Structure formats: structure tokens, C-alpha cells
Amino acid sequence: MKNRLLLSLLCIGAMLYIAVPRLPVTEDGLAGWFGMAWLVLALMAVGGNIAAIMYLPKRKRMVRKAKLAEVKKVRLRQYQ
């Protein structure tokens, strides 16, 4: 999951690197509106991917190992 998010961030960065100099942001009319909307959507995509990376759930393996260790301790106590 994390690799997919990092790859999408890399792709968005490449698109921004190529497209920003060519976008007609300062022009009047529909072209300027398109440039601004494209930039806003690209920045929202970057923000969404960064938020997803920051709030990834912790690995479940560590939790499972801890629960397994507790279960083993309980079983050992029961047999003694």
C-alpha cells in the first residue's frame, strides 16, 4: 500500500514538473480557469496521498505476535 502511494506521489510530481510551466494560469478566460482548476486538483491529489501515507494503519504482524505470545502464556499457566 505504501509503495503504491509513493509511486502515485512520484507520478503526480512528474506531471506537475512537466505541466506547470505550460499551464496558462495568468491568462484571462476559460484557459486561466482551467489552469487554476488543474493545479488545485493536482495539489489535492498530493495532499490526499500524503494524508494516506501519514495515517496508514500500523502493521498487524506485530499485534498478532503480541497476541500470540499472550495466548501462549495463558496456555502455559493453564497447564501448570
Side-chain angles (χ1 to χ4, degrees):
M1 177 79 168
K2 190 174 181 180
N3 290 335
R4 182 186 63 87
L5 294 170
L6 290 174
L7 179 65
S8 63
L9 270 176
L10 181 67
C11 291
I12 293 168
M15 285 188 342
L16 282 171
Y17 179 75
I18 293 170
V20 167
R22 298 177 184 171
L23 281 175
V25 178
T26 58
E27 291 185 19
D28 293 333
L30 194 58
W33 282 103
F34 171 77
M36 291 300 289
W38 196 91
L39 282 176
V40 167
L41 289 174
L43 292 177
M44 287 175 65
V46 169
N49 283 315
I50 290 174
I53 289 173
M54 288 176 57
Y55 295 111
L56 273 177
K58 293 183 180 180
R59 289 191 162 191
K60 294 181 181 179
R61 290 183 203 170
M62 300 303 256
V63 174
R64 288 181 186 167
K65 286 181 182 178
K67 286 184 180 179
L68 184 61
E70 289 178 20
V71 169
K72 284 183 179 179
K73 286 181 184 179
V74 170
R75 286 182 185 168
L76 284 174
R77 289 180 189 161
Q78 289 176 354
Y79 290 122
Q80 293 176 353

Coordinates of all heavy atoms in Angstrom, one line a residue:
M1 N 0.8 -1.2 0.0 CA 0.0 0.0 0.0 C 0.9 1.2 0.0 O 0.6 2.2 -0.7 CB -0.9 -0.1 1.2 CG -1.8 1.1 1.4 SD -3.2 1.0 0.3 CE -4.2 2.3 1.0
K2 N 1.9 1.2 0.9 CA 2.8 2.4 0.9 C 3.5 2.6 -0.4 O 3.7 3.8 -0.8 CB 3.7 2.2 2.1 CG 4.5 3.5 2.4 CD 5.3 3.3 3.7 CE 6.1 4.6 4.0 NZ 6.9 4.4 5.2
N3 N 3.9 1.5 -1.0 CA 4.6 1.7 -2.3 C 3.7 2.3 -3.3 O 4.2 3.1 -4.1 CB 5.1 0.3 -2.7 CG 6.3 -0.2 -1.8 OD1 7.0 0.6 -1.2 ND2 6.4 -1.5 -1.8
R4 N 2.5 1.9 -3.4 CA 1.5 2.4 -4.3 C 1.3 3.9 -4.1 O 1.3 4.7 -5.1 CB 0.2 1.7 -4.2 CG -0.8 2.2 -5.3 CD -2.2 1.6 -5.1 NE -2.8 1.9 -3.8 CZ -3.5 3.0 -3.6 NH1 -3.7 3.9 -4.6 NH2 -4.0 3.2 -2.4
L5 N 1.2 4.3 -2.9 CA 1.1 5.8 -2.6 C 2.3 6.6 -2.9 O 2.2 7.7 -3.5 CB 0.7 5.9 -1.1 CG -0.6 5.4 -0.6 CD1 -0.7 5.4 0.9 CD2 -1.7 6.1 -1.3
L6 N 3.5 6.0 -2.7 CA 4.7 6.7 -3.0 C 4.9 6.8 -4.6 O 5.3 7.8 -5.1 CB 5.9 6.0 -2.4 CG 6.1 6.1 -0.9 CD1 7.2 5.3 -0.4 CD2 6.2 7.6 -0.5
L7 N 4.5 5.7 -5.3 CA 4.5 5.8 -6.7 C 3.6 6.8 -7.3 O 3.9 7.5 -8.2 CB 4.2 4.4 -7.3 CG 4.2 4.3 -8.8 CD1 5.6 4.5 -9.4 CD2 3.7 2.9 -9.2
S8 N 2.4 6.9 -6.7 CA 1.4 7.9 -7.2 C 1.9 9.3 -6.9 O 1.8 10.2 -7.7 CB 0.0 7.7 -6.6 OG 0.1 7.8 -5.2
L9 N 2.6 9.5 -5.8 CA 3.2 10.8 -5.5 C 4.3 11.2 -6.5 O 4.4 12.3 -6.9 CB 3.8 10.8 -4.1 CG 2.8 11.3 -2.9 CD1 3.5 11.1 -1.6 CD2 2.4 12.7 -3.1
L10 N 5.1 10.2 -6.8 CA 6.1 10.4 -7.8 C 5.5 10.8 -9.2 O 6.0 11.7 -9.8 CB 7.0 9.1 -7.9 CG 8.1 9.2 -8.9 CD1 9.2 10.2 -8.4 CD2 8.8 7.8 -9.1
C11 N 4.5 10.1 -9.6 CA 3.8 10.4 -10.8 C 3.2 11.8 -10.8 O 3.3 12.5 -11.8 CB 2.8 9.3 -11.2 SG 3.4 7.7 -11.5
I12 N 2.6 12.1 -9.7 CA 2.0 13.5 -9.7 C 3.1 14.5 -9.7 O 2.9 15.6 -10.4 CB 1.1 13.6 -8.4 CG1 -0.1 12.7 -8.5 CG2 0.7 15.1 -8.2 CD1 -0.8 12.6 -7.1
G13 N 4.2 14.3 -9.0 CA 5.3 15.2 -9.1 C 5.9 15.4 -10.5 O 6.2 16.5 -10.9
A14 N 5.9 14.3 -11.2 CA 6.4 14.3 -12.6 C 5.5 15.1 -13.5 O 5.9 15.9 -14.3 CB 6.6 12.9 -13.2
M15 N 4.2 14.9 -13.3 CA 3.2 15.6 -14.1 C 3.2 17.1 -13.7 O 3.1 18.0 -14.6 CB 1.7 15.1 -13.8 CG 1.5 13.8 -14.4 SD -0.2 13.2 -14.4 CE -1.0 14.1 -13.1
L16 N 3.4 17.5 -12.5 CA 3.5 18.9 -12.1 C 4.7 19.5 -12.7 O 4.7 20.6 -13.1 CB 3.5 19.0 -10.6 CG 2.1 18.9 -9.9 CD1 2.3 18.8 -8.4 CD2 1.2 20.1 -10.3
Y17 N 5.9 18.8 -12.7 CA 7.1 19.3 -13.2 C 7.0 19.6 -14.7 O 7.5 20.6 -15.2 CB 8.2 18.2 -12.9 CG 9.6 18.7 -13.5 CD1 10.3 19.6 -12.8 CD2 10.1 18.1 -14.6 CE1 11.5 20.0 -13.3 CE2 11.3 18.5 -15.1 CZ 12.0 19.4 -14.5 OH 13.3 19.8 -15.0
I18 N 6.3 18.7 -15.4 CA 6.1 18.9 -16.8 C 5.0 20.0 -17.2 O 5.2 20.8 -18.0 CB 5.8 17.6 -17.5 CG1 7.0 16.7 -17.4 CG2 5.4 17.8 -19.0 CD1 6.7 15.2 -17.8
A19 N 3.9 20.0 -16.4 CA 2.8 20.7 -16.8 C 2.8 22.2 -16.3 O 2.2 23.1 -16.9 CB 1.5 20.1 -16.3
V20 N 3.4 22.4 -15.1 CA 3.3 23.8 -14.6 C 3.8 24.9 -15.5 O 3.2 25.9 -15.6 CB 3.9 23.8 -13.1 CG1 4.1 25.2 -12.7 CG2 3.1 23.0 -12.2
P21 N 5.0 24.7 -16.1 CA 5.4 25.8 -17.0 C 4.5 26.0 -18.2 O 4.5 27.1 -18.8 CB 6.8 25.3 -17.4 CG 7.2 24.3 -16.5 CD 6.0 23.7 -15.9
R22 N 3.8 25.0 -18.6 CA 2.9 25.1 -19.8 C 1.5 25.5 -19.5 O 0.7 25.7 -20.4 CB 2.9 23.7 -20.5 CG 4.3 23.3 -21.0 CD 4.3 22.0 -21.6 NE 5.7 21.6 -21.9 CZ 6.1 20.5 -22.3 NH1 5.2 19.5 -22.5 NH2 7.3 20.2 -22.6
L23 N 1.1 25.5 -18.2 CA -0.3 25.8 -17.9 C -0.5 27.3 -18.1 O 0.3 28.2 -17.6 CB -0.6 25.4 -16.5 CG -0.9 24.0 -16.3 CD1 -1.1 23.7 -14.8 CD2 -2.1 23.6 -17.0
P24 N -1.7 27.7 -18.7 CA -2.0 29.1 -18.9 C -2.7 29.7 -17.7 O -3.8 30.1 -17.7 CB -2.9 29.1 -20.1 CG -3.6 27.8 -20.0 CD -2.6 26.9 -19.4
V25 N -2.0 29.8 -16.5 CA -2.6 30.3 -15.3 C -2.9 31.8 -15.3 O -3.9 32.2 -14.8 CB -1.7 29.9 -14.1 CG1 -2.3 30.4 -12.8 CG2 -1.5 28.4 -14.0
T26 N -2.0 32.5 -15.9 CA -2.1 34.0 -15.9 C -3.0 34.6 -17.0 O -3.3 35.7 -17.0 CB -0.8 34.7 -16.0 OG1 -0.1 34.2 -17.2 CG2 0.1 34.3 -14.8
E27 N -3.5 33.7 -17.9 CA -4.4 34.2 -19.0 C -5.8 34.4 -18.5 O -6.2 33.9 -17.5 CB -4.4 33.2 -20.1 CG -3.1 33.1 -20.9 CD -3.1 32.2 -22.1 OE1 -4.3 31.9 -22.5 OE2 -2.1 31.8 -22.5
D28 N -6.5 35.2 -19.2 CA -7.9 35.5 -18.9 C -8.8 34.5 -19.6 O -8.4 33.8 -20.6 CB -8.3 36.9 -19.4 CG -7.6 38.0 -18.7 OD1 -7.2 37.8 -17.5 OD2 -7.4 39.1 -19.2
G29 N -10.0 34.3 -19.1 CA -11.0 33.5 -19.7 C -10.9 32.0 -19.2 O -10.4 31.7 -18.2
L30 N -11.4 31.2 -20.1 CA -11.5 29.8 -19.8 C -10.2 29.1 -19.6 O -10.0 28.2 -18.8 CB -12.3 29.1 -20.9 CG -12.8 27.7 -20.6 CD1 -13.7 27.7 -19.4 CD2 -13.6 27.1 -21.8
A31 N -9.2 29.5 -20.3 CA -7.8 28.9 -20.2 C -7.2 29.1 -18.9 O -6.6 28.2 -18.3 CB -6.9 29.5 -21.3
G32 N -7.4 30.3 -18.3 CA -6.9 30.6 -17.0 C -7.6 29.8 -15.9 O -7.0 29.3 -15.0
W33 N -8.9 29.7 -16.1 CA -9.7 28.9 -15.1 C -9.3 27.4 -15.2 O -9.2 26.7 -14.1 CB -11.2 29.0 -15.4 CG -11.8 30.3 -14.9 CD1 -12.1 31.4 -15.7 CD2 -12.1 30.6 -13.6 NE1 -12.6 32.4 -14.9 CE2 -12.6 31.9 -13.6 CE3 -12.0 29.9 -12.4 CZ2 -13.0 32.5 -12.4 CZ3 -12.4 30.6 -11.2 CH2 -12.9 31.8 -11.2
F34 N -9.1 26.9 -16.4 CA -8.6 25.5 -16.5 C -7.3 25.3 -15.8 O -7.1 24.3 -15.1 CB -8.5 25.1 -18.0 CG -7.9 23.8 -18.2 CD1 -8.6 22.6 -17.9 CD2 -6.5 23.7 -18.6 CE1 -8.0 21.4 -18.1 CE2 -5.9 22.4 -18.7 CZ -6.7 21.3 -18.5
G35 N -6.3 26.2 -16.0 CA -5.0 26.1 -15.4 C -5.1 26.1 -13.9 O -4.5 25.3 -13.2
M36 N -5.9 27.0 -13.3 CA -6.1 27.1 -11.9 C -6.8 25.8 -11.3 O -6.3 25.2 -10.3 CB -6.9 28.3 -11.5 CG -6.2 29.6 -11.7 SD -4.6 29.7 -10.8 CE -5.2 29.9 -9.2
A37 N -7.8 25.3 -12.0 CA -8.5 24.1 -11.6 C -7.6 22.9 -11.6 O -7.6 22.1 -10.7 CB -9.7 23.9 -12.4
W38 N -6.8 22.8 -12.6 CA -5.8 21.7 -12.8 C -4.8 21.7 -11.6 O -4.5 20.7 -11.0 CB -5.1 21.8 -14.1 CG -4.5 20.5 -14.5 CD1 -5.0 19.5 -15.2 CD2 -3.1 20.1 -14.2 NE1 -4.1 18.5 -15.4 CE2 -2.9 18.8 -14.7 CE3 -2.1 20.7 -13.4 CZ2 -1.7 18.1 -14.6 CZ3 -0.9 20.0 -13.3 CH2 -0.7 18.7 -13.9
L39 N -4.3 22.9 -11.3 CA -3.4 23.0 -10.2 C -4.0 22.6 -8.9 O -3.4 21.9 -8.0 CB -2.8 24.4 -10.1 CG -1.7 24.7 -11.1 CD1 -1.3 26.2 -11.0 CD2 -0.5 23.8 -10.9
V40 N -5.2 23.1 -8.7 CA -5.9 22.8 -7.4 C -6.2 21.3 -7.3 O -5.9 20.7 -6.2 CB -7.3 23.6 -7.3 CG1 -8.1 23.1 -6.2 CG2 -7.0 25.1 -7.1
L41 N -6.6 20.7 -8.3 CA -6.8 19.2 -8.3 C -5.5 18.4 -8.1 O -5.5 17.4 -7.4 CB -7.6 18.7 -9.5 CG -9.0 19.2 -9.7 CD1 -9.6 18.8 -11.0 CD2 -9.8 18.6 -8.5
A42 N -4.5 18.9 -8.7 CA -3.2 18.2 -8.5 C -2.7 18.3 -7.1 O -2.2 17.4 -6.5 CB -2.1 18.8 -9.5
L43 N -2.9 19.5 -6.5 CA -2.5 19.7 -5.1 C -3.3 18.9 -4.2 O -2.9 18.4 -3.1 CB -2.5 21.2 -4.8 CG -1.4 22.0 -5.5 CD1 -1.5 23.5 -5.1 CD2 0.0 21.5 -5.1
M44 N -4.6 18.8 -4.5 CA -5.5 17.9 -3.7 C -5.1 16.5 -3.7 O -5.1 15.8 -2.7 CB -6.9 18.1 -4.1 CG -7.5 19.4 -3.7 SD -9.2 19.7 -4.3 CE -10.1 18.4 -3.5
A45 N -4.6 16.0 -4.9 CA -4.2 14.7 -5.0 C -2.9 14.4 -4.2 O -2.7 13.4 -3.6 CB -3.9 14.3 -6.5
V46 N -2.0 15.4 -4.2 CA -0.8 15.3 -3.4 C -1.1 15.3 -2.0 O -0.6 14.4 -1.2 CB 0.2 16.5 -3.7 CG1 1.3 16.6 -2.7 CG2 0.7 16.4 -5.1
G47 N -2.0 16.1 -1.5 CA -2.4 16.2 -0.1 C -3.1 14.9 0.3 O -2.9 14.4 1.4
G48 N -3.9 14.3 -0.6 CA -4.6 13.1 -0.2 C -3.6 11.9 -0.1 O -3.7 11.1 0.8
N49 N -2.6 11.9 -1.0 CA -1.6 10.8 -0.9 C -0.8 11.0 0.4 O -0.4 10.0 1.0 CB -0.8 10.7 -2.1 CG -1.5 10.1 -3.3 OD1 -2.1 9.1 -3.1 ND2 -1.4 10.7 -4.4
I50 N -0.4 12.2 0.7 CA 0.4 12.4 1.9 C -0.4 12.1 3.1 O 0.1 11.4 4.1 CB 0.9 13.9 1.9 CG1 2.0 14.1 0.8 CG2 1.5 14.2 3.3 CD1 2.5 15.5 0.7
A51 N -1.7 12.4 3.2 CA -2.5 12.1 4.3 C -2.7 10.6 4.4 O -2.6 10.0 5.5 CB -3.9 12.7 4.2
A52 N -2.8 9.9 3.3 CA -2.9 8.4 3.4 C -1.6 7.8 3.9 O -1.7 6.8 4.6 CB -3.3 7.9 2.0
I53 N -0.5 8.3 3.5 CA 0.8 7.8 4.0 C 0.9 8.0 5.5 O 1.3 7.2 6.2 CB 2.0 8.4 3.2 CG1 2.0 7.8 1.8 CG2 3.3 8.1 3.9 CD1 3.0 8.5 0.9
M54 N 0.5 9.2 5.9 CA 0.6 9.5 7.4 C -0.3 8.7 8.2 O 0.1 8.4 9.4 CB 0.3 11.0 7.6 CG 1.4 11.9 7.1 SD 1.0 13.7 7.2 CE 0.7 13.8 9.0
Y55 N -1.5 8.4 7.7 CA -2.4 7.6 8.6 C -2.6 6.2 8.2 O -3.6 5.6 8.4 CB -3.8 8.3 8.5 CG -3.8 9.7 9.1 CD1 -3.9 10.8 8.3 CD2 -3.6 9.9 10.5 CE1 -3.8 12.1 8.9 CE2 -3.6 11.1 11.0 CZ -3.7 12.2 10.2 OH -3.7 13.5 10.8
L56 N -1.5 5.6 7.6 CA -1.5 4.2 7.3 C -1.6 3.4 8.6 O -1.0 3.8 9.6 CB -0.3 3.7 6.6 CG -0.2 3.8 5.1 CD1 1.2 3.5 4.6 CD2 -1.2 3.0 4.5
P57 N -2.4 2.3 8.7 CA -2.5 1.6 9.9 C -1.2 0.9 10.2 O -0.5 0.5 9.2 CB -3.6 0.5 9.7 CG -3.8 0.5 8.2 CD -3.3 1.8 7.7
K58 N -0.9 0.7 11.5 CA 0.4 0.0 11.8 C 0.3 -1.4 11.4 O -0.8 -2.0 11.2 CB 0.6 0.2 13.3 CG 0.9 1.6 13.7 CD 1.3 1.6 15.2 CE 1.5 3.1 15.5 NZ 1.8 3.2 17.0
R59 N 1.4 -2.0 11.3 CA 1.5 -3.4 10.8 C 0.7 -4.3 11.8 O 0.9 -4.2 13.0 CB 2.9 -3.9 10.7 CG 3.6 -3.2 9.5 CD 4.8 -3.9 9.2 NE 5.2 -3.6 7.9 CZ 6.2 -4.2 7.2 NH1 6.9 -5.2 7.9 NH2 6.5 -3.9 6.0
K60 N 0.0 -5.2 11.3 CA -0.8 -6.1 12.1 C 0.1 -7.3 12.6 O -0.3 -8.0 13.5 CB -2.0 -6.6 11.3 CG -3.0 -5.5 11.0 CD -4.2 -6.1 10.3 CE -5.2 -5.0 10.0 NZ -6.3 -5.4 9.3
R61 N 1.2 -7.5 11.9 CA 2.0 -8.6 12.3 C 2.5 -8.5 13.8 O 2.5 -9.4 14.5 CB 3.3 -8.7 11.4 CG 3.0 -9.1 10.0 CD 4.3 -9.2 9.3 NE 4.0 -9.1 7.8 CZ 4.9 -9.0 6.9 NH1 6.2 -8.9 7.3 NH2 4.6 -8.8 5.7
M62 N 2.9 -7.3 14.1 CA 3.4 -7.0 15.5 C 2.3 -7.3 16.5 O 2.5 -7.8 17.5 CB 3.9 -5.6 15.6 CG 5.1 -5.3 14.7 SD 6.4 -6.5 14.9 CE 7.5 -5.4 15.8
V63 N 1.1 -6.9 16.2 CA -0.1 -7.1 17.0 C -0.4 -8.6 17.2 O -0.6 -9.1 18.2 CB -1.3 -6.3 16.5 CG1 -2.5 -6.6 17.4 CG2 -1.0 -4.8 16.5
R64 N -0.3 -9.2 16.0 CA -0.6 -10.7 16.1 C 0.5 -11.4 16.9 O 0.1 -12.3 17.6 CB -0.6 -11.2 14.6 CG -1.8 -10.8 13.9 CD -1.8 -11.4 12.5 NE -2.9 -10.9 11.7 CZ -3.0 -11.0 10.4 NH1 -2.1 -11.7 9.7 NH2 -4.1 -10.5 9.8
K65 N 1.7 -11.0 16.8 CA 2.8 -11.7 17.5 C 2.6 -11.4 19.0 O 2.8 -12.3 19.8 CB 4.2 -11.2 17.1 CG 4.6 -11.7 15.8 CD 6.0 -11.2 15.4 CE 6.4 -11.7 14.0 NZ 7.7 -11.2 13.6
A66 N 2.2 -10.2 19.4 CA 2.0 -9.9 20.8 C 0.8 -10.7 21.3 O 0.9 -11.3 22.4 CB 1.7 -8.4 21.0
K67 N -0.3 -10.8 20.5 CA -1.4 -11.6 21.0 C -1.1 -13.1 21.1 O -1.5 -13.8 22.0 CB -2.6 -11.4 20.0 CG -3.3 -10.1 20.1 CD -4.5 -10.0 19.2 CE -5.1 -8.7 19.3 NZ -6.3 -8.5 18.4
L68 N -0.3 -13.6 20.2 CA 0.1 -15.0 20.2 C 1.0 -15.3 21.4 O 0.8 -16.3 22.1 CB 0.9 -15.3 18.9 CG 1.3 -16.8 18.7 CD1 0.1 -17.7 18.7 CD2 2.2 -16.9 17.5
A69 N 1.9 -14.3 21.8 CA 2.7 -14.5 23.0 C 1.8 -14.5 24.2 O 2.0 -15.3 25.1 CB 3.7 -13.4 23.1
E70 N 0.8 -13.7 24.3 CA -0.1 -13.7 25.4 C -0.9 -15.0 25.5 O -1.1 -15.5 26.6 CB -1.1 -12.5 25.3 CG -0.5 -11.2 25.5 CD -1.4 -10.0 25.4 OE1 -2.7 -10.3 25.5 OE2 -1.0 -8.9 25.2
V71 N -1.4 -15.5 24.4 CA -2.1 -16.7 24.4 C -1.2 -17.9 24.8 O -1.6 -18.7 25.6 CB -2.7 -17.0 23.0 CG1 -3.2 -18.4 22.9 CG2 -3.7 -16.0 22.6
K72 N 0.0 -17.9 24.4 CA 1.0 -18.9 24.9 C 1.2 -18.9 26.4 O 1.2 -19.9 27.0 CB 2.3 -18.8 24.1 CG 2.3 -19.3 22.7 CD 3.6 -19.2 22.1 CE 3.6 -19.7 20.7 NZ 4.9 -19.6 20.0
K73 N 1.3 -17.7 26.9 CA 1.5 -17.5 28.4 C 0.3 -18.0 29.1 O 0.4 -18.7 30.1 CB 1.7 -16.0 28.7 CG 3.1 -15.5 28.4 CD 3.3 -14.1 28.8 CE 4.6 -13.5 28.3 NZ 4.7 -12.1 28.7
V74 N -0.9 -17.7 28.6 CA -2.1 -18.2 29.3 C -2.2 -19.7 29.2 O -2.6 -20.4 30.2 CB -3.4 -17.5 28.6 CG1 -4.7 -18.2 29.1 CG2 -3.4 -16.1 28.9
R75 N -1.9 -20.3 28.1 CA -1.9 -21.8 28.0 C -0.9 -22.4 28.9 O -1.2 -23.4 29.5 CB -1.6 -22.2 26.5 CG -2.7 -21.9 25.6 CD -2.4 -22.4 24.2 NE -3.4 -22.0 23.2 CZ -3.3 -22.1 21.9 NH1 -2.1 -22.5 21.4 NH2 -4.3 -21.8 21.1
L76 N 0.3 -21.8 29.0 CA 1.3 -22.4 29.9 C 0.8 -22.3 31.4 O 1.0 -23.2 32.1 CB 2.6 -21.6 29.8 CG 3.4 -21.9 28.5 CD1 4.6 -21.0 28.5 CD2 3.9 -23.4 28.6
R77 N 0.1 -21.2 31.7 CA -0.4 -21.1 33.1 C -1.5 -22.2 33.3 O -1.6 -22.7 34.5 CB -0.9 -19.7 33.3 CG 0.2 -18.7 33.4 CD -0.4 -17.3 33.6 NE 0.6 -16.3 33.5 CZ 0.4 -15.0 33.3 NH1 -0.8 -14.6 33.2 NH2 1.4 -14.2 33.2
Q78 N -2.3 -22.4 32.3 CA -3.3 -23.4 32.5 C -2.8 -24.8 32.7 O -3.4 -25.6 33.5 CB -4.3 -23.4 31.3 CG -5.1 -22.1 31.2 CD -6.0 -22.1 29.9 OE1 -5.8 -23.0 29.0 NE2 -6.8 -21.1 29.8
Y79 N -1.7 -25.1 32.1 CA -1.1 -26.5 32.2 C -0.4 -26.7 33.5 O -0.2 -27.8 33.9 CB -0.2 -26.8 31.0 CG -1.0 -27.0 29.7 CD1 -0.7 -26.2 28.6 CD2 -2.0 -27.9 29.6 CE1 -1.4 -26.4 27.4 CE2 -2.7 -28.1 28.4 CZ -2.4 -27.3 27.3 OH -3.1 -27.5 26.2
Q80 N 0.1 -25.6 34.1 CA 0.8 -25.8 35.3 C 0.0 -26.0 36.5 O -0.7 -26.2 37.1 CB 1.7 -24.5 35.6 CG 2.8 -24.4 34.5 CD 3.6 -23.1 34.7 OE1 3.2 -22.2 35.5 NE2 4.6 -22.9 33.9

